[in-house]
Amino acid sequence: MDPRQGLRLLLPAGAVDRDRPRRPGQGRGRPRDHLHGRRRAAPGRPHQPAALRRPHAGLLHLAGHDAAARRRGAHRHPGRRRPDQPRPAGRVLDRGPGLAGQRRQRCRHRLHRGRRPVTAPVRTRFCPSPTGTVHVGLLRTALFNWAHARHTGGSLVLRIEDTDAARDSEESYRHLLDSLRWLGLDWDEGPEVGGPHGPYRQSQRHDVYREVAAKLAAAGHAYESFSTNEEVEARRLAAGQDPKLGYDNADRFLTDAQRAAFRAEGREPVLRLRMPDSDLAWTDLVRGEVRFAVGSVPDFVIVRGNGAPLYPFVNPVDDALMGITDVLRGEDLLPSTPRQLALYAALQDVGVAAGPPRFGHLPYVTGEGSKKLSKRDPQSNVDVYRERGFLPEGFANYLALLGWSIAEDRDVFSMAEMAEAFDVTRVSANPARFDLKKAEAINATHLRELPVEEFVERAVPFLAGAGLVADPPTPEQDRVLRAIAPLAQERSVVLSDVVGLLGFLFVEEVQIDPAAAAKNLRPEDGEVLDAAADALRDLDDWSTAGIEQALKAALVEGLGRKPRQAFGPVRVAVSGRTVSPPLYESIELLGPERTLARLAAARGAAG
RNA sequence: GCCCCCAUCGUCUAGCGGUCCAGGACGCCGCCCUUUCAAGGCGGUAGCACGGGUUCGAACCCCGUUGGGGGCACCA
């Protein structure tokens, strides 16, 4: 016999299912009756499809519900026909009473926006854990939370989940904040900003968790569990079940005597949350209805044997305490949502939470292939892009495209434009591949749109980092930089490109790229270098136009070479590369001395 | 194994039952411009996974199949 069946009778129903007065707008459906169900919790099996309770029928929930129902194609308006097709048992969603009335005004379709009733202001949060490098997927999540908050006029809370002392570091923490700010994200509450719900680092909130855990235990929502993993596995095996099913809720109804006996053995219990005896479902902001059957999620550990609270516990607790209304997070957390919902119900019951938040599970960012971009993958490290000289606005723009689009025929936009247009219910549910080429193209567009002075300003650190100019540049360097900048700007994809492109202007002797030499400094090119040197040596008008005229006369007309054959060797001699800014301008800026010296040096190399 | 998510050009997406022999962007390929490379301009290539159903009509709604991904900790 299933131990749970008999034991359940022993539980005082009131211990869990208190019929508390509810806040307006909540508890719209039937009372939540976690443990009143008479059904057997057959894992993964459909069951009693009828009138589901809506355990989480907060106001906010309904708003989200409708928005996402639309995504699923269920965009029906009052008066329009609803295709009430028969659905198989177990998949039926009873939307509960009162919903139609609610939906009427809640449509957030572009055309219907603005008629939305005022609801509680949106509060989103971003809660990274400072362990090592910053992942592009993480930053994308932060960006979407930011955009959602800004778009709705709500606020963004930053909370640091540093409960893992072994992996967290102060350095990672600093770096994380720095990366967020680099991208252009700001938060309304959190570290270094403060706010009424602090502290915002979980390492400083242990007392809070202890207190909440005690409340949950006192109310019967959580209970002490003594089973070891080995014992659970043994029981599963003995029952002919897959041990992967996990904990079997065996300790749910231990008597005081049993508990005492376990303690006498020296066992330290963990605290587990009692999962409700009903399906757990929610309407995801990006995916629509998601449902987990009763029994598919076992009672989970919220506090370790040593008293340390665990992530699945502290995360919702803090969300509740901080008044978070919208949780936008990675798809990887989707399977843990039923637990969060159950926890929320319990928290609500003990007066800690006002109601569950809306959830939106953002699609994965994948790398090559279709696997989730791993933290180990160098491509996932945001620093790489930053160091290469991606513009924050360009990178943010690209990140936004990973799952969202601003319009049918546009994909270049600013952060402000994103905030203006962002609608989380229009985020795609598909995983998105990180495409470096496209990221570069988007960035290049932003780069070119920069005012020249700003381009120079942003490029200087890269030039200085390569030891090419002083920071700030000397007046002479500044003069050269300003003159060449427009030509470099339209040839750059990322800021660091200027190092290779302009380096030759800031060194005394140029390093000639061997491949370039092989191609353009052959023995037969010697005459070109000689002629160019002769033409430039006596040039009075050292200007772009003067240089152009002199070189054309000497090389094209004088030697009868085609432009390509004429200017290639000169370019390599002067810049060291086959690719450079326009030649005449480059020579002008380089000046007669260095130009002639390089032509002579290249003459030697050409043989 | 169980549970969940996903499915439109190579890639990211638009598409919300007729306006779609499917639109944009990146990439790729041509051409133009040109002292190189870019940029820019013009043009091209390429896609609704499959099978049922609902409907006068389906890329769009429903079911299934197949394929891909993720989660199943006293880690976050």
Side-chain angles (χ1 to χ4, degrees):
Chain A
M1 159 179 181
D2 182 343
R4 286 165 292 174
Q5 288 240 292
L7 290 170
R8 182 170 300 134
L9 302 172
L10 301 176
L11 185 86
V16 179
D17 185 35
R18 256 167 261 178
D19 216 344
R20 301 202 159 219
R22 289 186 168 74
R23 300 175 177 223
Q26 287 169 349
R28 211 156 256 287
R30 300 226 278 36
R32 291 160 299 117
D33 49 352
H34 301 166
L35 299 171
H36 285 180
R38 254 149 277 136
R39 285 168 290 130
R40 189 198 152 95
R45 196 65 50 77
H47 51 80
Q48 187 181 325
L52 296 173
R53 309 140 204 78
R54 296 176 40 79
H56 314 288
L59 240 190
L60 298 171
H61 185 70
L62 289 173
H65 182 130
D66 183 54
R70 199 188 76 239
R71 287 191 46 75
R72 297 243 118 184
H75 188 202
R76 292 170 204 102
H77 290 212
R80 279 232 228 157
R81 188 190 91 222
R82 222 182 117 178
D84 280 314
Q85 306 192 331
R87 288 181 251 197
R91 293 224 127 221
V92 171
L93 169 65
D94 181 336
R95 292 200 161 84
L99 188 58
Q102 302 258 348
R103 318 176 83 215
R104 188 163 303 136
Q105 302 173 291
R106 272 179 205 282
C107 178
R108 284 208 265 158
H109 189 280
R110 275 166 293 189
L111 301 175
H112 304 139
R113 236 182 252 155
R115 260 183 284 156
R116 249 171 100 198
V118 180
T119 55
V122 163
R123 285 173 63 80
T124 63
R125 87 320 195 246
F126 176 58
C127 45
S129 135
T131 59
T133 59
V134 179
H135 190 279
V136 294
L138 189 84
L139 213 50
R140 198 272 314 259
T141 301
L143 176 64
F144 281 25
N145 272 288
W146 175 88
H148 184 49
R150 295 292 165 261
H151 177 74
T152 55
S155 40
L156 175 64
V157 177
L158 175 62
R159 181 174 72 233
I160 303 297
E161 310 225 321
D162 51 352
T163 52
D164 187 348
R167 292 197 300 162
D168 298 321
S169 77
E170 189 65 17
E171 191 195 347
S172 300
Y173 164 73
R174 298 253 141 246
H175 183 55
L176 186 56
L177 296 199
D178 185 49
S179 298
L180 293 173
R181 290 197 167 112
W182 171 72
L183 197 73
L185 304 181
D186 57 336
W187 50 96
D188 305 291
E189 290 176 34
E192 301 187 356
V193 170
H197 304 281
Y200 292 94
R201 297 184 68 171
Q202 290 187 332
S203 54
Q204 297 162 10
R205 299 174 62 82
H206 283 123
D207 293 346
V208 174
Y209 309 132
R210 227 188 314 281
E211 193 186 319
V212 174
K215 274 188 188 174
L216 255 18
H221 289 300
Y223 63 91
E224 293 181 335
S225 170
F226 294 85
S227 296
T228 64
N229 289 335
E230 295 72 39
E231 288 166 344
V232 171
E233 195 176 324
R235 284 198 297 264
R236 287 289 189 194
L237 255 16
Q241 296 165 329
D242 185 347
K244 286 221 167 104
L245 254 22
Y247 174 67
D248 53 1
N249 297 355
D251 299 335
R252 263 193 178 190
F253 308 103
L254 258 24
T255 62
D256 288 347
Q258 287 172 309
R259 279 199 291 269
F262 278 131
R263 282 187 190 280
E265 287 177 28
R267 298 200 191 199
E268 287 199 323
V270 299
L271 206 57
R272 288 185 187 269
L273 190 88
R274 202 185 299 276
M275 291 297 285
D277 198 12
S278 62
D279 281 8
L280 260 357
W282 74 98
T283 305
D284 198 273
L285 256 9
V286 344
R287 283 152 215 279
E289 160 93 1
V290 181
R291 167 172 304 273
F292 286 77
V294 209
S296 59
V297 189
D299 294 350
F300 64 103
V301 177
I302 61 176
V303 180
R304 278 184 185 140
N306 66 8
L310 290 164
Y311 167 82
F313 174 61
V314 299
N315 178 274
V317 165
D318 282 342
D319 283 348
L321 259 14
M322 293 179 182
I324 301 304
T325 62
D326 296 65
V327 172
L328 307 184
R329 22 126 81 155
E331 185 183 346
D332 48 333
L333 271 330
L334 193 145
S336 79
T337 308
R339 296 195 298 235
Q340 303 227 161
L341 254 13
L343 217 208
Y344 253 99
L347 290 173
Q348 193 170 354
D349 185 62
V350 299
V352 170
R358 284 167 289 217
F359 287 94
H361 289 93
L362 308 174
Y364 282 110
V365 175
T366 68
E368 286 308 314
S370 49
K371 296 239 188 286
K372 174 181 158 187
L373 194 54
S374 147
K375 193 153 185 169
R376 249 79 54 197
D377 189 328
Q379 224 202 163
S380 76
N381 186 354
V382 171
D383 294 347
V384 171
Y385 304 96
R386 191 173 168 180
E387 281 157 15
R388 270 192 67 198
F390 267 84
L391 261 23
E393 58 269 49
F395 199 63
N397 187 162
Y398 178 66
L399 248 25
L401 259 15
L402 261 20
W404 183 72
S405 64
I406 194 166
E408 179 170 352
D409 54 358
R410 185 154 88 108
D411 58 12
V412 174
F413 47 85
S414 68
M415 295 277 279
E417 288 170 321
M418 181 187 185
E420 171 73 28
F422 188 76
D423 177 352
V424 66
T425 69
R426 295 181 56 81
V427 169
S428 164
N430 301 6
R433 171 104 110 249
F434 189 94
D435 180 356
L436 182 61
K437 280 274 176 37
K438 178 133 184 183
E440 289 175 340
I442 297 285
N443 194 68
T445 307
H446 282 270
L447 196 65
R448 270 173 233 122
E449 282 174 359
L450 247 32
V452 194
E453 317 80 65
E454 205 178 325
F455 171 74
V456 171
E457 203 175 297
R458 298 219 215 174
V460 162
F462 289 86
L463 257 8
L468 294 168
V469 304
D471 194 2
T474 64
E476 172 58 13
Q477 289 170 340
D478 191 57
R479 184 186 69 79
V480 174
L481 222 37
R482 285 172 187 284
I484 201 72
L487 304 173
Q489 184 171 10
E490 65 184 17
R491 263 157 260 256
S492 299
V493 168
V494 291
L495 289 169
S496 65
D497 287 347
V498 297
V499 172
L501 217 43
L502 303 183
F504 75 98
L505 287 170
F506 299 101
V507 292
E508 206 39 55
E509 286 175 26
V510 74
Q511 283 278 35
I512 293 182
D513 170 39
K519 189 176 170 198
N520 278 320
L521 294 183
R522 301 157 304 172
E524 63 267 36
D525 294 319
E527 58 167 9
V528 175
L529 299 172
D530 287 337
D534 289 341
L536 294 175
R537 190 151 29 236
D538 304 318
L539 185 63
D540 293 325
D541 177 20
W542 193 269
S543 67
T544 296
I547 292 161
E548 174 174 3
Q549 205 177 5
L551 287 180
K552 276 188 172 160
L555 308 180
V556 180
E557 287 154 35
L559 296 178
R561 283 203 168 206
K562 290 190 179 302
R564 194 180 201 85
Q565 302 302 318
F567 299 112
V570 179
R571 180 185 307 282
V572 172
V574 162
S575 73
R577 320 171 61 184
T578 53
V579 174
S580 78
L583 188 58
Y584 316 127
E585 284 86 347
S586 298
I587 290 176
E588 183 193 336
L589 286 167
L590 202 56
E593 275 178 36
R594 282 189 292 175
T595 302
L596 292 171
R598 287 181 192 187
L599 286 171
R603 183 69 182 84

